[in-house]
Amino acid sequence: MNLPQHTFSFILHFVRQQRLFFTVLMISSIVWAANDTIFPYFLKQIVNTLQFYHGDPTHIYHAVAGTLILLVSFWIVMEILQRLQGILQIYTFPYFRANIRQAVFNYVKSHSHEYFANQFAGNIAKKLADLPMSCQTIMEIICFQFVTAITGAIIVFTLMWLTKPFFAVILFIWLCIHLGLTAIFLRYSNYLWEAHSEAVSILSGKIVDVFTNILNVRLFARGNFESQYLNHYQDDEIAKSKKAMWLMELIRVGLGLNGLFLIFAMLFTLLYGWVHHWVTLGDFTQIGMQAFWMLGWMWFISYQLSIFTRELGTINNALTLVQKGHDIIDVPFARSLRIQRGEIRFENVSFAYHSKRFIFQNLNLLIPAGQKVGLVGFSGAGKSTFVNLILRFHDVQAGRILIDDQDIAHVKQDSLRDQIAMIPQDPSLFHRTLMENIRYGRLDACEEEVIQASKLAHCHEFIEKLDEGYHSLVGEQGIKLSGGQRQRIAIARAILKNAPILILDEATSSLDSVTEKLIQESLHRLMENRTTIVIAHRLSTLANMDRILVFHQGQIIEEGTKESLLKANGHFAQLWSMQTDGFLPDA
């Protein structure tokens, strides 16, 4: 689902999901403002009654009883609505934040593989964490400050006009100047705070990158270097923060001078009016209190505007997560992929990264169902790209890829990847328990099935020796496990997934020779009756392949069994002879 890409339309999109609650929150703020601003009017009535009262002093309570009853009634209604407002916040803002977080997370996770390869995970996480809280802050300021101030200004202006229009004119002039200065402030500060927010996100991404690679920092004793490396980004954040804060202080100077004009003009005119008997003490009380109320609220709003613009900058920066369209999308009414055999076909496939030099041009290839195919070639020959195209991590520029005669560009991406089990050379694990990491292959698997898959992958033995067994946490990216242990967990996960297509990227390269031999037997059983693609850097792993494809500069220049290719004495035979300790060189 596409999300609104501009700040206020984005916030409004989620406000509409709870429109009733937000409406009541705003109404309660309106009533609170009305009570606050009408209170001086009630006080005026009492003061004027006292000033002109000539009856028995003991009957003064009766004279002001009606005004006091109205005042108390307003106060009780306000208190009820204030408590209602507090309760509503409990049931509004947590869900408001959750809806934003969930929607943006769902959007971001649908970005292409390339998008995440080019972004700092820490930068993305910082923006995603900041966005809901900043949206809540904006709505709190609008509901509880802006609505109150606007309502109060309208009531104050109306009451002043009805009492003495001249004072309403003074208030209007002051308010126009105040709003004009505020508009200038908003125009420039929003840009400055957005730049600051981006600087904070970049700095956070750099810090997360350091902690993610803390082993390298320690192995090379580069702690001081990393501190100095971060200083550049720290200085940039400080400079942009100072620039935005200086603008805020300069605007406050202008607002302060304008406030001085309001107080001087109001007090001078009130005193002049009282001297010349066209301003009563009640008028003095009402207009003086309302003028000070307006000044206090507008000063408070000016401080809130600094927070408001800062949060707007944070939101504008975070919305870059949803402003970039998805590179790989499901076509309308895409169907789920259904695999009965597992045949893979490339038809005139052409592909290039960023429209530069083509990796593949007019590639045609058929991998029959159930065939075990090995891919060999130097680094950059196109092996990983070939596999990534099958997984639809990229879309082809021309041609199509079919699985069981179904174009993978016309099926749902999740259904495609759900039918493929891949064991990468460098497996990635979540910072969760071993049980959760293995069960990720099939979420509905029972505990016995997880343990059986672990036994086949020969990881059950080391898991049992851990203090918490299958409930042991593996650390971020599986840092608590050795490379061989992580690879065995990935193999167990693939075994549990039990998909009809299997892709292995040198899946046993991190294992010792004894464990590798045991796991190879499990993998061979896993390959049975499955279409299997094996990327091989160690050519000895190709012994049981039905067919070997030799890649060179994006072309398949040879294919056949290991024996037939060695007899042909071509490129594969050259690769075989170039092996060092069983592995191919990079070039």
Side-chain angles (χ1 to χ4, degrees), residues 27-311:
I27 290 172
S28 65
S29 293
I30 290 171
V31 173
W32 187 76
N35 182 80
D36 245 24
T37 50
I38 292 176
F39 176 78
Y41 174 76
F42 292 141
L43 204 56
K44 167 194 169 177
Q45 298 300 320
I46 294 173
V47 169
N48 280 344
T49 301
L50 291 173
Q51 183 182 2
F52 300 110
Y53 184 74
H54 300 293
D56 186 345
T58 59
H59 295 160
I60 190 64
Y61 297 106
H62 179 73
V64 298
T67 304
L68 287 174
I69 290 170
L70 279 174
L71 194 153
V72 171
S73 300
F74 265 78
W75 189 272
I76 291 172
V77 170
M78 183 200 73
E79 279 297 313
I80 293 172
L81 282 172
Q82 284 291 94
R83 302 291 71 76
L84 176 62
Q85 186 185 81
I87 294 169
L88 276 176
Q89 289 181 64
I90 298 171
Y91 291 94
T92 302
F93 286 116
Y95 292 104
F96 179 67
R97 295 194 307 270
N99 291 340
I100 293 172
R101 191 181 297 112
Q102 187 67 50
V104 176
F105 173 79
N106 288 338
Y107 186 90
V108 172
K109 72 180 175 62
S110 297
H111 276 308
S112 67
H113 198 62
E114 184 179 358
Y115 174 87
F116 290 101
N118 294 328
Q119 301 289 329
F120 276 118
N123 194 339
I124 295 173
K126 179 73 169 59
K127 291 177 180 179
L128 186 54
D130 287 345
L131 184 58
M133 285 306 302
S134 293
C135 289
Q136 174 174 328
T137 302
I138 291 293
M139 285 308 301
E140 286 175 337
I141 293 174
I142 290 174
C143 289
F144 308 139
Q145 276 89 56
F146 288 179
V147 169
T148 302
I150 292 169
T151 303
I154 293 170
I155 295 173
V156 166
F157 183 82
T158 303
L159 289 175
M160 281 191 185
W161 184 267
L162 294 173
T163 304
K164 293 289 183 288
F166 186 73
F167 293 100
V169 172
I170 294 174
L171 183 69
F172 181 76
I173 293 171
W174 167 79
L175 197 57
C176 287
I177 297 172
H178 189 96
L179 293 176
L181 290 172
T182 301
I184 295 170
F185 167 70
L186 283 173
R187 179 179 177 184
Y188 291 104
S189 65
N190 190 29
Y191 165 76
L192 294 177
W193 281 120
E194 184 177 348
H196 172 257
S197 180
E198 178 62 19
V200 171
S201 294
I202 291 173
L203 177 61
S204 299
K206 295 291 183 182
I207 292 172
V208 171
D209 190 43
V210 171
F211 289 139
T212 302
N213 291 280
I214 194 68
L215 180 60
N216 286 332
V217 176
R218 288 174 175 167
L219 287 175
F220 291 93
R222 293 292 184 264
N224 290 334
F225 169 79
E226 292 301 331
S227 295
Q228 294 170 5
Y229 177 78
L230 288 175
N231 280 342
H232 166 73
Y233 299 96
Q234 193 106 287
D235 291 343
D236 184 53
E237 185 272 335
I238 291 171
K240 288 176 178 175
S241 176
K242 287 168 66 176
K243 195 172 182 180
M245 293 175 76
W246 262 114
L247 175 64
M248 185 173 65
E249 288 305 314
L250 290 173
I251 291 295
R252 282 175 180 165
V253 171
L255 295 177
L257 293 173
N258 190 42
L260 187 62
F261 156 76
L262 176 67
I263 295 303
F264 177 79
M266 284 291 187
L267 288 177
F268 178 84
T269 309
L270 282 168
L271 288 169
Y272 181 85
W274 183 79
V275 169
H276 291 83
H277 307 293
W278 53 271
V279 169
T280 66
L281 285 179
D283 293 335
F284 202 110
T285 303
Q286 174 197 328
I287 293 170
M289 288 185 68
Q290 288 178 335
F292 275 99
W293 184 92
M294 278 295 298
L295 183 62
W297 256 100
M298 287 304 168
W299 260 108
F300 177 67
I301 291 297
S302 70
Y303 275 93
Q304 289 298 102
L305 279 174
S306 65
I307 300 172
F308 188 79
T309 53
R310 186 183 66 206
E311 298 302 330

Side-chain angles (χ1 to χ4, degrees), residues 10-24:
F10 179 86
I11 295 173
L12 188 60
H13 173 78
F14 293 97
V15 167
R16 286 197 189 103
Q17 296 177 15
Q18 297 172 285
R19 54 170 60 89
L20 177 60
F21 283 8
F22 278 107
T23 300
V24 176

